[in-house]
């Protein structure tokens, strides 16, 4: 796909951008398919022993109050205030459980920064502008986005403010140090100024983010939200997969069971066109997308969702521990839990007045945003060829992250007249497709 604006071309020929000193190889990224490896066995070679206090606490809780849903299990494992995986700073990175695209190369964040700037300018550059990121990790993506904007359109930063939705105080400090500099360590994390100019405010949830024209970014956020898993009975009706204590084991151990009767969560299936004998559903992800779409419709803005998934979610619940796939029930508190995003379901949850573009592959999105030309520029500038080429391949190769990860964009339908002629860069023209079907 051809580059569509001077903005995109300018980032490719502008000032040299610094490449981070460390590149985490593609074999460490959390992008291989859920079918890789045996889910029922834990590959724990070369991993330090782990005193799993959370596992013992979960077993005690289940013995007292009964089996729990997978959604309850995910919430406890990932966001437990003391032992939750995401409440510390060790989940992400080479020493953690997985590596994300922004950590692999600055090129990823630069492409997103260019795309956001281009689409915002296409809308007339409305200001003031809020940039909202859900689940910002260590802040790497937002740092690259702001740096890119500062080099392309530095004056536009005066119109912008940054809002980060983060529940972990430890990760808030990581984000603060990267975005605001080491001198910000002793400052309140609620609201301070970044080194690029815009003020940054932290929020526990999207509900407290001010309602105004905003760009919403959710990169590898939706996949970590709690899911429910259901199985269909041969004689009809649905039952939920629950987690119980394995009483046959002398050591604390969990197992899956099937509910005897319908659970309250089974009512969620009635609102879907469920096909097949099994189903995974993430109602919280649907609620987040609904809230974003309603804000975009009422106050204006753009949404950009990036995650791995497809148009149907079946059997994708899995865990990663130190970059190896393990049984999700074996190491609660010391492994990352995740599930594929069901984009088709999310599309049904958004406002009727919000336009949904995608999903398209990460490779298509990044190539459209100019990653190939940016890669060439970095090589000409004397950057390490092996590092740059490996990063480019990891992000765009169909055998790695290029096809597995998907992008979706959201816009108010009042943009229809513009998007009929000039759809969002990297995305198919949904209005043209509709016309051809008619």
């Amino acid at each position: 796909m051809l580059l569509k604006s001077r903005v995109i071309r300018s980032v490719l020929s502008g000032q040299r951008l610094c490449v981070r000193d460390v590149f985490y190889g593609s074999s460490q990224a959390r992008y291989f398919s859920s079918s890789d490896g045996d889910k029922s066995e834990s590959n724990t070679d070369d991993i330090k022993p782990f005193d799993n206090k959370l596992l013992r606490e979960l077993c005690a809780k289940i013995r007292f109050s009964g089996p729990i849903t997978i959604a309850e299990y995910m919430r406890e494992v990932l966001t437990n205030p003391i032992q939750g995986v995401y409440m510390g700073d060790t989940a992400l990175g080479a020493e953690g459980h997985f590596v994300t695209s922004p950590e692999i190369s600055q090129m990823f964040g630069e492409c997103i920064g260019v795309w956001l700037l281009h689409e915002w300018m296409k809308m007339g550059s409305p200001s003031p502008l809020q940039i909202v990121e859900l689940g910002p990790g260590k802040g790497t993506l937002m740092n690259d986005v702001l740096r890119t904007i500062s080099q392309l359109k530095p004056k536009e930063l005066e119109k912008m403010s940054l809002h980060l939705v983060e529940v972990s105080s430890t990760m808030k400090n990581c984000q603060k140090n990267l975005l605001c500099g080491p001198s910000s360590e002793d400052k309140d994390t609620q609201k301070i100024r970044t080194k690029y100019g815009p003020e940054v405010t932290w929020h526990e949830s999207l509900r407290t983010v001010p309602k105004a024209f905003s760009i919403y970014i959710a990169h590898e956020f939706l996949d970590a939200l709690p899911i429910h898993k259901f199985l269909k009975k041969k004689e009809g009706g649905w039952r939920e997969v629950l987690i119980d204590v394995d009483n046959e084991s002398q050591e604390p151990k969990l197992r899956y069971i099937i509910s005897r009767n319908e659970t309250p969560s089974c009512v969620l299936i009635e609102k879907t066109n469920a096909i097949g004998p099994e189903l995974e559903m993430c109602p919280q992800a649907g609620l987040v997308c609904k809230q974003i779409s309603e804000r975009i419709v009422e106050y204006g803005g753009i949404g950009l969702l990036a995650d791995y998934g497809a148009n149907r979610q079946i059997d994708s619940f899995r865990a990663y521990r130190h970059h190896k796939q393990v049984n999700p029930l074996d190491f609660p508190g010391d492994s990352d839990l995740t599930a594929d995003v069901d984009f088709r379901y999310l599309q049904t949850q958004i406002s009727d007045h919000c336009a949904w573009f995608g999903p398209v592959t990460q490779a298509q999105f990044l190539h459209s945003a100019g990653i190939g030309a940016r890669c060439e520029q970095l090589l000409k500038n004397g950057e390490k060829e092996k590092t740059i080429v490996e990063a480019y391949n990891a992000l765009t190769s169909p055998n790695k992250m290029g096809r597995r990860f998907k992008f979706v964009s959201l816009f108010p339908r009042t943009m229809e007249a513009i998007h009929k002629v000039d759809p969002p860069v990297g995305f198919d023209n949904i209005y043209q497709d509709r016309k051809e079907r008619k």
Side-chain angles (χ1 to χ4, degrees), residues 58 61 67-77 226-228:
L58 284 167
K61 175 184 177 180
I68 60 176
T69 65
I70 292 177
E72 291 176 273
Y73 178 75
M74 290 184 71
R75 273 192 290 269
E76 190 68 18
V77 169
I227 67 161
H228 292 270

Side-chain angles (χ1 to χ4, degrees), residues 341-358:
V341 174
D342 186 343
F343 291 108
R344 181 176 297 171
Y345 165 70
L346 297 184
Q347 187 175 3
T348 65
Q349 302 304 298
I350 67 169
S351 167
D352 292 337
H353 302 288
C354 185
W356 170 285
F357 292 85

Side-chain angles (χ1 to χ4, degrees), residues 83-108:
Q83 301 170 85
V85 176
Y86 292 160
M87 304 311 285
D89 60 356
T90 59
L92 178 61
E95 301 301 321
H97 304 304
F98 63 95
V99 174
T100 60
S101 295
E103 305 293 333
I104 289 178
S105 173
Q106 66 177 67
M107 293 185 290
F108 183 84

Side-chain angles (χ1 to χ4, degrees), residues 26-63:
S26 60
S27 63
Q28 297 172 322
R30 184 178 55 169
Y31 56 75
F32 43 89
S33 102
S34 60
S35 61
D36 293 343
D38 187 348
K39 285 187 178 183
S40 62
E41 298 181 4
S42 299
N43 189 346
T44 59
D45 296 342
D46 302 324
I47 295 178
K48 296 179 181 179
F50 176 64
D51 179 21
N52 205 323
K53 181 180 178 182
L54 183 58
L55 175 59
R56 295 193 295 272
E57 291 180 356
L58 284 167
C59 288
K61 175 184 177 180
I62 292 171
R63 287 193 180 99

Side-chain angles (χ1 to χ4, degrees), residues 43 66 75 83 91 93 110-111 113 133 146 168 170 196 280 300 308 316-317 327 339 364 408 416:
N43 189 346
R75 273 192 290 269
Q83 301 170 85
E110 290 168 358
C111 286
E133 185 177 7
L146 292 177
S168 167
T170 302
Y196 300 103
E280 288 176 354
Y308 45 82
S316 67
F317 178 53
N327 187 320
Q364 177 175 326
V408 165
E416 180 173 346

Side-chain angles (χ1 to χ4, degrees), residues 103-338:
E103 305 293 333
I104 289 178
S105 173
Q106 66 177 67
M107 293 185 290
F108 183 84
E110 290 168 358
C111 286
I112 288 184
V114 165
W115 186 90
L116 294 174
L117 190 59
H118 173 259
E119 298 302 324
W120 175 62
M121 293 176 65
K122 188 192 295 184
M123 299 178 80
S125 305
S127 63
L129 168 66
Q130 295 184 155
I131 301 181
V132 182
E133 185 177 7
L134 292 81
K138 293 184 177 180
T140 306
L141 173 58
M142 188 53 60
N143 187 63
D144 289 339
V145 167
L146 292 177
R147 190 189 68 249
T148 300
I149 296 174
S150 72
Q151 296 199 351
L152 291 175
K153 293 284 184 179
K155 291 185 178 180
E156 303 294 353
L157 290 171
E158 299 174 2
K159 308 174 183 178
M160 300 180 183
S161 61
L162 183 60
H163 296 265
L164 304 181
V165 179
E166 177 62 67
V167 297
S168 167
S169 58
T170 302
M171 295 309 296
K172 287 177 184 177
N173 286 328
C174 290
Q175 297 152 16
K176 179 184 66 173
N177 292 338
L178 181 59
L179 295 171
C180 306
S183 61
S184 65
E185 288 186 4
D186 298 328
K187 297 180 180 178
D188 181 21
T189 57
Q190 188 59 31
K191 187 175 183 180
I192 55 178
R193 192 167 295 278
T194 67
K195 58 189 177 185
Y196 300 103
E199 285 189 335
V200 55
T201 305
W202 280 266
H203 304 266
E204 293 289 321
S205 71
L206 181 60
R207 289 191 297 272
T208 61
V209 175
K211 295 180 178 179
F213 188 98
S214 303
I215 293 175
Y216 299 92
I217 305 171
H219 175 258
E220 287 206 48
F221 172 76
L222 300 174
D223 68 271
L225 297 180
I227 67 161
H228 292 270
K229 185 174 179 64
F230 305 96
L231 295 177
K232 195 170 187 178
K233 297 177 61 178
K234 291 182 179 180
E235 59 271 23
W238 291 87
R239 296 293 182 265
E240 186 166 5
V241 177
L242 304 175
I243 295 175
D244 196 4
V245 175
D246 186 349
N247 292 318
E248 296 182 0
S249 174
Q250 295 184 2
E251 298 294 328
K253 188 176 181 181
L254 299 172
R255 61 169 183 159
Y256 296 109
I257 64 170
I258 308 300
S259 65
R260 295 180 180 179
N261 304 299
E262 288 190 353
T263 63
S265 302
C266 289
V267 70
L268 298 170
I269 305 177
E270 298 175 3
K271 302 177 182 179
T272 67
N273 295 320
I275 301 174
E278 55 186 292
L279 176 68
E280 288 176 354
M281 184 175 293
C282 184
Q284 190 172 341
L287 179 61
V288 169
C289 290
K290 181 175 184 291
Q291 291 174 343
I292 290 175
S293 70
E294 290 174 346
R295 283 168 170 254
I296 288 174
V297 169
E298 187 170 356
Y299 302 97
I302 301 169
L304 186 65
L305 316 177
D307 231 309
Y308 45 82
N311 278 329
R312 186 162 180 256
Q313 198 169 323
I314 303 177
D315 184 21
S316 67
F317 178 53
R318 56 199 185 278
Y320 296 106
R321 185 175 187 237
H322 301 296
H323 309 284
K324 295 180 179 180
Q325 189 167 344
V326 298
N327 187 320
L329 304 185
D330 281 355
F331 300 99
D334 194 42
S335 62
D336 177 49
L337 302 180
T338 182

